[in-house]
């Protein structure tokens, strides 16, 4: 019998991460795409670092910074905010680890918007926020949708970061990818295969959707 709880946890984390990064990612992308500040050049490598850092390295530093070993972790713990080995830990790790997937496509989409229509909006007296909401975002909608799909599919399959930050607690932090690892350790290859096939189907579905979206964007 299939244990569906890891899938429910994975979907809950993926949906929550997608919602958070869908909002936060747009403002970060706007800053990186249009800011001429040196700060943008400093911030962007940190945002993109999860693409090149091993998940265990990223997970370790998240665990260290928000754990009781650090002043920040002790402060959060004293005021009742616990960010490790619970759902909050899964969400925190997923947001940090999936941030590049939320930002990179949107930055490219924002930079592809013709400057003429952005400047026309400013000439008409519209604010930067209005221009972002009514001009830039609609013209970069395919990039934004692609970013959201990438964040969702990437979060569904996370392993290293969520394992270190959230742990392996059945019914609480055991995601589908962690469940596969546990099944293999138990030599339960049948359940591991079923779980892996479901994740594979989800991943392929998102890739097919992105390919279809690319066709629409080209048209």
């Amino acid at each position: 019998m299939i244990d569906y709880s890891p899938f429910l946890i994975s979907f809950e984390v993926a949906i929550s991460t997608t919602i958070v990064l869908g909002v936060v990612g747009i403002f970060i992308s706007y800053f990186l795409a249009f800011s001429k500040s040196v700060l943008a050049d400093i911030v962007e490598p940190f945002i993109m670092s999860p693409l090149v850092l091993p998940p265990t390295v990223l997970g370790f530093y998240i665990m260290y910074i928000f754990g009781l070993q650090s002043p920040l972790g002790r402060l959060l713990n004293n005021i009742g905010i616990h960010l490790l080995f619970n759902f909050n830990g899964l969400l925190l790790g997923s947001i940090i680890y999936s941030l590049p997937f939320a930002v990179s496509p949107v930055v490219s989409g924002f930079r592809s918007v013709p400057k003429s229509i952005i400047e026309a909006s400013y000439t008409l007296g519209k604010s930067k926020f209005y221009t972002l909401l009514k001009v830039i975002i609609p013209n970069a909608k395919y990039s934004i949708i692609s970013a959201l799909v990438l964040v969702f599919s990437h979060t569904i399959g996370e392993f290293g970061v969520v394992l270190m930050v959230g742990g392996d607690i059945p019914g609480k932090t055991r995601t589908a990818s962690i469940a596969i690892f546990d099944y293999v350790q138990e030599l339960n290859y049948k359940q591991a295969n079923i779980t892996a096939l479901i994740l594979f189907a989800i991943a392929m579905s998102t890739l097919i959707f992105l390919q279809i979206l690319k066709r629409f964007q080209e048209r």
Side-chain angles (χ1 to χ4, degrees):
M1 185 176 180
I2 301 176
D3 181 10
Y4 291 102
S5 63
F7 290 104
L8 295 177
I9 294 171
S10 292
F11 273 102
E12 188 177 358
V13 173
I15 292 171
S16 301
T17 302
T18 304
I19 292 172
V20 172
L21 290 181
V23 177
V24 175
I26 284 178
F27 291 101
I28 295 176
S29 300
Y30 177 82
F31 171 72
L32 295 179
F34 299 109
S35 176
K36 297 180 181 179
S37 169
V38 178
L39 181 62
D41 296 327
I42 297 173
V43 170
E44 188 166 3
F46 281 96
I47 291 175
M48 299 302 169
S49 62
L51 293 176
V52 295
L53 281 177
T56 49
V57 172
L58 188 63
F60 168 75
Y61 280 113
I62 294 173
M63 185 174 64
Y64 182 83
I65 292 171
F66 294 99
L68 296 178
Q69 300 90 343
S70 73
L72 177 60
R74 289 193 294 271
L75 175 63
L76 292 174
N77 185 72
N78 290 336
I79 60 177
I81 299 176
H82 306 288
L83 296 176
L84 298 178
F85 305 110
N86 52 34
F87 182 82
N88 295 330
L90 293 180
L91 183 58
L92 174 66
S94 297
I95 289 172
I96 295 173
Y97 194 45
S98 295
L99 186 57
F101 297 90
V103 170
S104 185
V106 181
V107 169
S108 299
F110 283 178
R111 287 174 177 168
S112 68
V113 177
K115 291 184 179 180
S116 58
I117 63 174
I118 298 175
E119 292 171 355
S121 178
Y122 293 151
T123 302
L124 293 172
K126 304 300 181 182
S127 66
K128 289 185 177 180
F129 181 75
Y130 179 92
T131 303
L132 171 64
L133 196 66
K134 298 294 184 178
V135 177
I136 298 174
I137 289 178
N139 281 279
K141 59 181 179 293
Y142 288 114
S143 297
I144 295 172
I145 295 172
S146 297
L148 294 177
V149 174
L150 282 172
V151 168
F152 180 84
S153 59
H154 183 253
T155 305
I156 282 286
E158 285 178 7
F159 176 74
V161 172
V162 295
L163 179 61
M164 294 194 69
V165 179
D168 184 4
I169 306 172
K172 292 185 178 181
T173 64
R174 179 181 290 172
T175 61
S177 58
I178 295 175
I180 294 174
F181 178 79
D182 290 339
Y183 290 141
V184 172
Q185 293 296 306
E186 298 166 1
L187 302 181
N188 189 348
Y189 295 119
K190 180 180 179 181
Q191 290 292 346
N193 184 46
I194 293 173
T195 307
L197 281 175
I198 294 174
L199 288 182
F200 178 78
I202 294 171
M204 290 304 299
S205 298
T206 57
L207 290 174
I208 292 170
F209 177 80
L210 287 174
Q211 191 66 24
I212 295 172
L213 191 67
K214 183 181 177 181
R215 295 285 186 182
F216 276 103
Q217 187 176 8
E218 290 172 351
R219 292 176 184 175

